[in-house]
Amino acid sequence: MAEPIAFTLRLRRYDPESGDAPFWAEHTIELEPHRSILDGILQAKARFDGSIAIRCSCQAAICGSCGVRINGRPGLACNTRLRDALRDAPDGVIEVEPMGNMPVIKDLVVDMDAVHWKKIRRVTPWLVAEEDGLPEREHLVDRDSMVDVTQAMACIQCGACVSDCLSMEADPLFVGPAAAAKAYRFVADPRDTQQLERLRDLAEDPHGIYDCTHCFTCIDACPKGVAPMNQIMRLRRRAADDHGIVDRNNGERHEAAFATLVRDRGLLHEAELLPRSYGGDSWLGKFHPAAGRVLLSSLPVVTKALLRGKVRPRVAVAGERLPREDRRHVQRIFDTVEGRPERLELNLYLSGVDEDGAGAAGRPPEGSETR
Amino acid sequence: MKVAYWPGCVSRGFAPELHGAMARIAPLLDLELIELDRAACCGAGVLSEHNQELADTLNARTFALAQQTDGELMMNICSTCQGAQTECQERLDASAEYRALVNETLAGEGLVYETGLTNKNLLWLLVEEIGLETLRAKVRRPLTDLRVGPFYGCYIVRPVDRLGIDADRPRDTYLSRVIEALGGTVVEYAGMRKCCGFPIVTMNPETSLRQAGRHLGDAKDAHADCVVTPCPLCHLNLDLQQPMAERVVGREIGMPVLHLPQLVGLALGLSPKELGLQRHVVRPTAVVDWSTSVVAAVGA
């Protein structure tokens, strides 16, 4: 058994009702290195200052109460070990702050109602069943059809992903990673009868699924491996490809135009991608009024780029493309893959990795929960 | 060192100065580039959003083409290519069954992807293969007193597990180390590992440009002379769109944004013109003294 050693915690203190500015308070606690940040905070509270505020309950990474930022990164205080946090602390002091993107109520307690729960409620977080009144018997589902939603169901509503969502930081109205993952949980549930309506709602909302910048922050933030961003990509896939929802945010058109251009050329052609994303997925897209407006507004930028020689006129008009033979191979890949009766998706959260699988980036995988 | 070189789409489209700068610095770094000029777009996360197997197969084709060369490894010059390709490689390497299925599609042109390919962005290659000591020794014009803000791009710093970022390989700190090795001063600021906003510029331009504008503003507030990025897509939002971003955040910024090979090239003694710096939308006047073509901070 390891002996207790000293750790110094630097806690962000703030009481909005006091009228005083936020400040940092340092406390040195003594605990075994494998104990949690939460254990450390509770000891500081017991020994030095009973007024330190933090929410906690289960202390086992299940209740989702103790979301905080540790050394600038979101996570649960109860499942972050002191020794690991110390390793990440640049100056040897473990820094604990309240989560971001949500107002602080006191110290490490944020207002989850004002942001997180409001967004969760916005996606109708319950099953909308078919029956009017009480069904005669229970609704039986095929076991395999529920496997797909288990990753989204692993969410414990701690708010860590919401805390550091970079889209929400720039657009507070963004539905956000946690609510979107919750939405996928019902969109992919075979018992739900409102899947199309849910998808159309989230695709048409200017702050819905197409407002995610694909920054991976929520994937690293989540203590339970939910990978909310991946659930958002699944929502987009279902909305655009399965239901053909052409949204007003250009989400579907952008994706369709991207795929068509790579299919035709093997490479991306930015000068065609933009107008097609606004005006529709064909060469004529740029003559659509919506595309015309955008192109006109971006004219000063494009002109400057042309004048500086950043964008060569030939590239702007004709674009780059692969040699004919390679374009043929790329098109054959599109035909083969898109011609399959069902779209294939390998979710490593569910499938795990082969035992002999060498990890990407030249590193062996660390168990089955590779995200 | 010989590498299979994947330039990506943007470096040959809207950011040609990047591809050009890479070609210039390669011989100075003793890098022999075998260009993968038959490989297709990595999909930039958009193709995998559309159809995962499609993106995986196209990238498996790229990896197979790289494995046919005698390069020691594959190198890219785009954070987004690095992230998108690593994601596909992770799936391909995780399952022999899935790999076999993808290879079946590639068999038509006699290609096969075998596990074990290493694919590194120039940034990783500089630190892990060439080494900072070697790089430092090659510097002919140190970037003395030049204040450089790093801007990584999401795809090269997250998710940390997939990208192999840990205490042994702190790849999310490499830009600072390279700037230091080149003799520059590192300026850290709030937005340096945040998102430039580019992926949603067609979907929600205001949110997208607000992100670009805020990070550039943060860099300016930290008194950076310029920002450097290994991602040409970030460069599009940070440089090409900077005038629009300025409008969204309501302030003048005028922050020069350099591609990583351009910053390296300046320190290795290449002229700004050779590195295509005159092609940027925001003129790097703070970085470069145009009359003498010498890094201003060095002085006479």
Side-chain angles (χ1 to χ4, degrees), chain A residues 61-238:
Chain A
I62 287 298
C63 75
S65 302
C66 65
V68 288
R69 267 185 184 154
I70 300 157
N71 297 321
R73 291 175 191 210
L76 295 175
C78 73
N79 81 337
T80 306
R81 295 182 194 279
L82 287 163
R83 64 165 177 241
D84 296 338
L86 181 65
R87 197 195 52 218
D88 295 339
D91 62 349
V93 177
I94 301 167
E95 210 163 86
V96 188
E97 300 164 85
M99 291 194 287
N101 281 334
M102 290 177 270
V104 174
I105 293 177
K106 186 171 185 285
D107 300 336
L108 304 173
V109 177
V110 297
D111 192 347
M112 298 276 285
D113 275 329
V115 181
H116 174 72
W117 293 112
K118 195 168 155 187
K119 289 178 189 294
I120 292 286
R121 279 193 297 273
R122 185 242 169 279
V123 299
T124 319
W126 57 81
L127 197 73
V128 183
E130 199 172 357
E131 291 86 4
D132 292 324
L134 285 176
E136 284 186 13
R137 54 164 302 172
E138 70 271 33
H139 191 138
L140 295 177
V141 290
D142 179 24
R143 188 189 169 279
D144 289 345
S145 68
M146 292 299 286
V147 171
D148 184 43
V149 296
T150 51
Q151 189 177 19
M153 285 166 78
C155 175
I156 56 168
Q157 310 294 335
C158 67
C161 59
V162 173
S163 161
D164 280 42
C165 173
L166 296 178
S167 269
M168 207 185 284
E169 188 180 278
D171 175 13
L173 294 175
F174 174 43
V175 66
K182 183 56 113 182
Y184 183 76
R185 184 250 168 276
F186 293 107
V187 162
D189 188 318
R191 298 166 296 175
D192 195 85
T193 57
Q194 303 293 308
Q195 293 170 358
L196 176 62
E197 289 74 8
R198 288 176 188 275
L199 286 167
R200 187 171 286 141
D201 170 36
L202 287 169
E204 290 290 5
D205 186 338
H207 312 284
I209 48 177
Y210 291 114
D211 206 13
C212 163
T213 62
H214 218 266
C215 75
F216 303 93
T217 304
C218 59
I219 295 184
D220 275 351
C222 180
K224 306 299 278 187
V226 172
M229 190 194 94
N230 293 355
Q231 314 309 329
I232 296 175
M233 296 309 132
R234 292 194 175 102
L235 287 167
R236 288 186 183 180
R237 203 139 57 216
R238 288 190 181 229

Side-chain angles (χ1 to χ4, degrees), chain B residues 57 135 164 182 200 213 260 271:
Chain B
T57 311
L135 182 64
L182 300 176
I200 56 166
L260 176 61
S271 77

Side-chain angles (χ1 to χ4, degrees), chain A residues 73 87 166-167 169-172 206-207 210-220 229-230 233-234 236-237 241 247-251 254-256 258-259 262 266-271 273-274 277-278 297-298 300-302 304-305 308-312 315-316 320 322-323 325-327 329-330 332-334 336-338 340 342-348 351-363 366 369-371, chain B residues 6 8-10 12-17 37-41 43-54 57-58 61 86-87 89-99 101 105-109 115-119 124 154-155 157-167 169 171-172 193-195 197 199-205 207 210-211 214-215 235-236 239-241 243-244 247 259 278-283:
Chain A
R73 291 175 191 210
R87 197 195 52 218
L166 296 178
S167 269
E169 188 180 278
D171 175 13
H207 312 284
Y210 291 114
D211 206 13
C212 163
T213 62
H214 218 266
C215 75
F216 303 93
T217 304
C218 59
I219 295 184
D220 275 351
M229 190 194 94
N230 293 355
M233 296 309 132
R234 292 194 175 102
R236 288 186 183 180
R237 203 139 57 216
D241 296 307
D247 56 284
R248 283 168 294 188
N249 304 308
N250 312 312
H254 177 72
E255 186 200 294
F258 198 111
V262 175
L267 296 172
L268 196 56
H269 180 15
E270 300 99 325
L273 179 63
L274 276 171
S277 297
Y278 290 103
S297 74
S298 57
V301 169
V302 174
K304 201 170 219 181
R308 295 274 162 88
K310 176 170 179 59
V311 180
R312 293 158 292 171
V315 169
E320 293 282 335
L322 292 183
E325 184 68 6
D326 293 290
R327 289 206 305 272
H329 289 307
V330 167
R332 206 177 36 75
I333 289 174
F334 270 80
T336 306
V337 173
E338 298 199 318
R340 295 200 196 282
E342 267 189 57
R343 199 175 48 226
L344 271 176
E345 196 184 316
L346 186 68
N347 185 347
L348 300 182
S351 68
V353 293
D354 288 355
E355 276 179 16
D356 61 344
R363 207 174 67 144
E366 290 171 9
E369 287 211 2
T370 309
R371 295 171 299 213
Chain B
W6 168 239
C9 300
V10 180
R12 291 175 285 180
F14 272 21
E17 69 279 1
D37 50 8
R38 295 179 50 206
C41 171
V46 182
L47 276 189
S48 59
E49 166 190 325
H50 167 70
N51 186 319
Q52 214 183 62
E53 188 200 350
L54 182 63
T57 311
L58 289 174
R61 182 175 177 272
T86 307
E87 178 177 337
Q89 198 184 4
E90 181 181 50
R91 281 191 290 267
L92 291 165
D93 289 358
S95 160
E97 195 187 332
Y98 184 60
R99 200 161 56 244
L101 179 99
T105 312
L106 298 182
E109 64 178 304
T115 58
L117 174 85
T118 303
N119 176 25
W124 297 357
C154 302
Y155 277 81
V157 286
R158 287 180 294 272
V160 289
D161 288 351
R162 181 189 292 154
L163 292 170
I165 298 172
D166 54 27
R169 286 199 291 193
R171 290 170 162 174
D172 53 352
R193 292 189 194 88
K194 290 187 178 177
C195 180
I200 56 166
V201 76
T202 53
M203 277 88 103
N204 190 339
T207 300
R210 185 176 299 129
Q211 298 189 52
R214 275 188 188 171
H215 308 328
H235 197 271
L236 292 180
D239 176 65
L240 182 67
Q241 302 259 47
M244 316 268 268
R247 230 176 293 165
H259 298 286
Q278 75 283 5
R279 287 188 168 165
H280 294 192
V281 165
V282 180
R283 284 194 187 276

